[in-house]
Amino acid sequence: MFKTEENDGKMLFEDALNMAGFGLYGNMITILCGLIVVAFASIVFSITFIVSTSACELGTTSAQQGLMASGPIIGIIVGGVICGYLADKFGRRQVLLYALISGAIINAFASLSPNWIVLLIFQTIACFCAAGQYSLAMTLVSECVPILMRNKAILSVTSIFLLALGIMAVIAMPVIPLTFSIHVPALGIYWNSWRLLLLVYSLPSLIAAVWLYLMMESPKFMYVKGREQEAIEIIQAIYRINHGKSAEALNIKGLKLEAQSTGPLAPSKDQIKPLFTMPLLKYTFIVTSLFMCQQNAAFTTWLPSIANQFIRVVQTGEGTDKAICGILRDSRDIPVNPDLVPCSLNKMSLVFIMIICVLQSGCNILLILVVNRVGRRNMAIIITVVCGLSGIVTNLVPNAYASAIFFVIFMISILNMGLYTAIAVHIFPTHLRALAVALTLTGGRLVNFAAVQILKLLLEVNCDLGFYLFNSIFTASAIILAFLPDERYLHKKRKEENTEEESFKMLESKLSS
């Protein structure tokens, strides 16, 4: 039964959203946000495929490739915070539209780069524009679906995001081997397969922008912005789309948030200050620390290169009695096949990437089924310990296939990104949420900027140390997770408080009558 205040007839926002239900609109917004995070990955992770395939034409060194891979992270760091602030001020939908369109256009221009420096600049600007897409997509879906479906919706979007790199690998399979090379004298470049691939990676952003234009703003944002009537109209529209009938049955006279939620949006200084004062300071520090310790993204950046070198050696029949790092060292002595496009990626390595992404997404679907019972915090602790230890063991097993299995298990640790985001969305109030998620993600990206370059160096100089260092830090983050509250207990406590409040009101009503 949904609660309303008898004295003013206003309905709790979450109750109104629950009455709107989860149906066609809920599925559409979930799939759309999934497409948005794929668009985000296509811009941000495109360099992971381009850095290797463009090396021959651009003549990049290992150090320059490290800069090409980590440089765009600066754009993500700066753009993420700005997008988070703008989204809390002007709306999730409007900021996402600008981010999708501008990111796609700049990324398309990057395909015309005459050298690696220009490519780095364009990619950094494109990542700046696209930076807020992931966090805003998560925020948008969380504010448009009922609370009972929120975890599943967020984790569904995360499942799609986990498939993104695999989707990019599938797109790359027919494109990278193309042998055409068209000279463009005006730019002094040769239009070839890696440039075409970069252009293709702009398409998801444009498709998502058109779809988003047809959708509605977050009703919760509209309410906390002080536009209550528009929020009610959006909830009524969601009800009509989900149920296919008039929204008159809702009978929403007004909306209100629970006591612990805040009201209309505050000025910018009041948006930032609460995140760094108690009681939110503790959670800002914890969630930021978790993102900083989760450097699976550094391995994801170099995954095409790692997979390519691993497959090349294994296909020769050698190195099967070695762990991954031993195989990577041996790959430097494998001669280049003259029949292939220079610096192209092995097709089987792209299949390997796709398999990893499918497994990640599949595990995330299983996670959706159990997360409500186990709890987000507890699930994150389990994943951290299991995957972190697997990453450490990866180079202790003298067998290529067993080592690869442990490496794949370690790569599943990326599931924690969705859990951390869901935890942040749950902890921080609406008027701070987009900025809070962006800020905490930014902490992880700051470390990721250095981690990408450090890992690149260690993979060439001391590969084993790279695996031990990164995975030990990640495994230790389970201790930090233990300081977060178990949200199952909080839900139970809040339910008991609401029951007591209703009982008190009923007793008060009887006494007064």
Side-chain angles (χ1 to χ4, degrees):
M1 184 175 180
F2 301 105
K3 307 182 293 296
T4 59
E5 282 290 338
E6 296 181 10
N7 59 349
D8 58 10
K10 290 191 173 184
M11 181 181 293
L12 287 175
F13 178 87
E14 291 295 349
D15 289 343
L17 201 56
N18 286 337
M19 289 181 68
F22 186 92
L24 178 59
Y25 190 84
N27 286 316
M28 286 195 302
I29 198 70
T30 301
I31 296 171
L32 170 59
C33 289
L35 178 59
I36 291 172
V37 296
V38 169
F40 168 78
S42 297
I43 301 295
V44 173
F45 293 142
S46 62
I47 198 66
T48 65
F49 294 91
I50 301 304
V51 72
S52 299
T53 54
S54 66
C56 291
E57 181 186 348
L58 302 182
T60 51
T61 64
S62 178
Q64 290 168 344
Q65 290 174 23
L67 285 173
M68 287 172 64
S70 60
I73 298 174
I74 296 296
I76 298 174
I77 291 170
V78 179
V81 177
I82 293 176
C83 280
Y85 166 71
L86 292 176
D88 281 335
K89 190 174 182 64
F90 299 108
R92 288 69 163 115
R93 177 177 171 273
Q94 184 174 348
V95 173
L96 269 172
L97 280 171
Y98 284 115
L100 288 165
I101 295 171
S102 58
I105 292 174
I106 301 300
N107 191 64
F109 277 118
S111 66
L112 302 174
S113 302
N115 55 60
W116 73 272
I117 295 177
V118 175
L119 177 60
L120 171 61
I121 292 171
F122 272 123
Q123 280 285 286
T124 301
I125 298 173
C127 288
F128 170 84
C129 296
Q133 291 175 14
Y134 177 83
S135 59
L136 292 185
M138 291 296 191
T139 302
L140 181 63
V141 72
S142 71
E143 294 178 351
C144 291
V145 300
I147 192 167
L148 293 177
M149 294 298 296
R150 198 160 295 158
N151 266 0
K152 291 183 179 180
I154 291 175
L155 291 173
S156 295
V157 174
T158 305
S159 293
I160 298 173
F161 176 67
L162 295 174
L163 279 175
L165 200 65
I167 294 171
M168 294 172 70
V170 170
I171 294 172
M173 283 181 193
V175 178
I176 287 179
L178 295 176
T179 57
F180 72 90
S181 183
I182 304 172
H183 187 222
V184 184
L187 298 173
I189 65 172
Y190 286 87
W191 182 264
N192 47 32
S193 60
W194 71 263
R195 297 180 185 276
L196 175 62
L197 182 63
L198 200 56
L199 188 63
V200 171
Y201 283 153
S202 292
L203 292 179
S205 295
L206 298 177
I207 296 171
V210 173
W211 189 349
L212 181 62
Y213 180 77
L214 302 175
M215 303 296 281
M216 295 176 286
E217 179 59 88
S218 155
K220 195 162 191 177
F221 168 80
M222 299 300 282
Y223 173 72
V224 298
K225 187 69 174 177
R227 297 156 70 176
E228 183 178 4
Q229 186 55 42
E230 292 177 70
I232 293 173
E233 290 172 0
I234 291 174
I235 292 174
Q236 290 173 335
I238 293 174
Y239 179 90
R240 285 195 298 271
I241 296 171
N242 283 338
H243 300 277
K245 55 185 179 181
S246 173
E248 292 180 1
L250 286 179
N251 192 29
I252 303 175
K253 298 178 181 178
L255 296 171
K256 64 174 185 175
L257 297 178
E258 293 185 46
Q260 65 269 29
S261 299
T262 54
L265 290 179
S268 59
K269 64 178 182 180
D270 293 328
Q271 283 181 266
I272 298 173
K273 186 178 177 181
L275 298 176
F276 296 97
T277 54
M278 294 300 289
L280 293 181
L281 173 61
K282 178 178 74 171
Y283 297 121
T284 302
F285 175 77
I286 290 175
V287 178
T288 302
S289 298
L290 291 173
F291 279 119
M292 291 173 72
C293 293
Q294 169 73 16
Q295 288 307 316
N296 177 289
F299 284 88
T300 301
T301 299
W302 300 115
L303 182 58
S305 297
I306 293 173
N308 191 51
Q309 294 174 56
F310 178 84
I311 295 296
R312 282 178 58 205
V313 174
V314 172
Q315 282 183 333
T316 64
E318 300 178 3
T320 55
D321 59 343
K322 297 181 180 180
I324 281 183
C325 281
I327 294 174
L328 294 183
R329 284 190 289 269
D330 289 349
S331 69
R332 300 166 193 165
D333 301 324
I334 301 295
V336 177
N337 188 338
D339 296 328
L340 298 177
V341 176
C343 294
S344 64
L345 295 174
N346 185 293
K347 186 175 181 179
M348 283 305 300
S349 70
L350 296 174
V351 173
F352 183 64
I353 294 170
M354 182 183 66
I355 291 172
I356 290 178
C357 293
V358 170
L359 287 174
Q360 289 174 334
S361 184
C363 289
N364 200 67
I365 292 172
L366 294 177
L367 183 65
I368 294 172
L369 301 177
V370 301
V371 68
N372 285 337
R373 295 182 180 179
V374 179
R376 285 172 290 217
R377 184 203 66 172
N378 298 338
M379 198 71 242
I381 291 175
I382 294 170
I383 292 172
T384 299
V385 173
V386 173
C387 296
L389 291 177
S390 296
I392 294 173
V393 173
T394 295
N395 284 299
L396 297 177
V397 182
N399 180 278
Y401 302 107
S403 181
I405 290 172
F406 280 112
F407 177 71
V408 170
I409 294 173
F410 157 65
M411 292 301 292
I412 292 173
S413 64
I414 199 172
L415 298 185
N416 272 1
M417 292 295 288
L419 288 171
Y420 295 163
T421 304
I423 288 170
V425 166
H426 175 77
I427 288 176
F428 296 104
T430 304
H431 77 295
L432 302 172
R433 188 169 293 155
L435 181 59
V437 173
L439 279 173
T440 52
L441 279 169
T442 296
R445 289 164 178 166
L446 280 169
V447 176
N448 187 235
F449 172 74
V452 167
Q453 298 182 74
I454 293 171
L455 182 60
K456 173 67 173 176
L457 176 63
L458 290 176
L459 287 175
E460 296 185 356
V461 177
N462 194 332
C463 178
D464 298 84
L465 176 60
F467 273 81
Y468 297 144
L469 175 64
F470 282 85
N471 284 285
S472 296
I473 294 172
F474 174 59
T475 306
S477 68
I479 299 173
I480 301 174
L481 275 163
F483 287 94
L484 284 171
D486 187 341
E487 75 274 6
R488 296 176 304 162
Y489 169 75
L490 294 178
H491 283 313
K492 183 179 179 181
K493 184 178 179 182
R494 187 176 299 173
K495 186 177 180 181
E496 290 174 352
E497 289 175 351
N498 289 335
T499 303
E500 290 177 1
E501 183 182 349
E502 286 184 356
S503 300
F504 177 77
K505 286 180 179 179
M506 288 177 64
L507 179 61
E508 189 181 50
S509 177
K510 288 181 180 179
L511 291 174
S512 62
S513 61

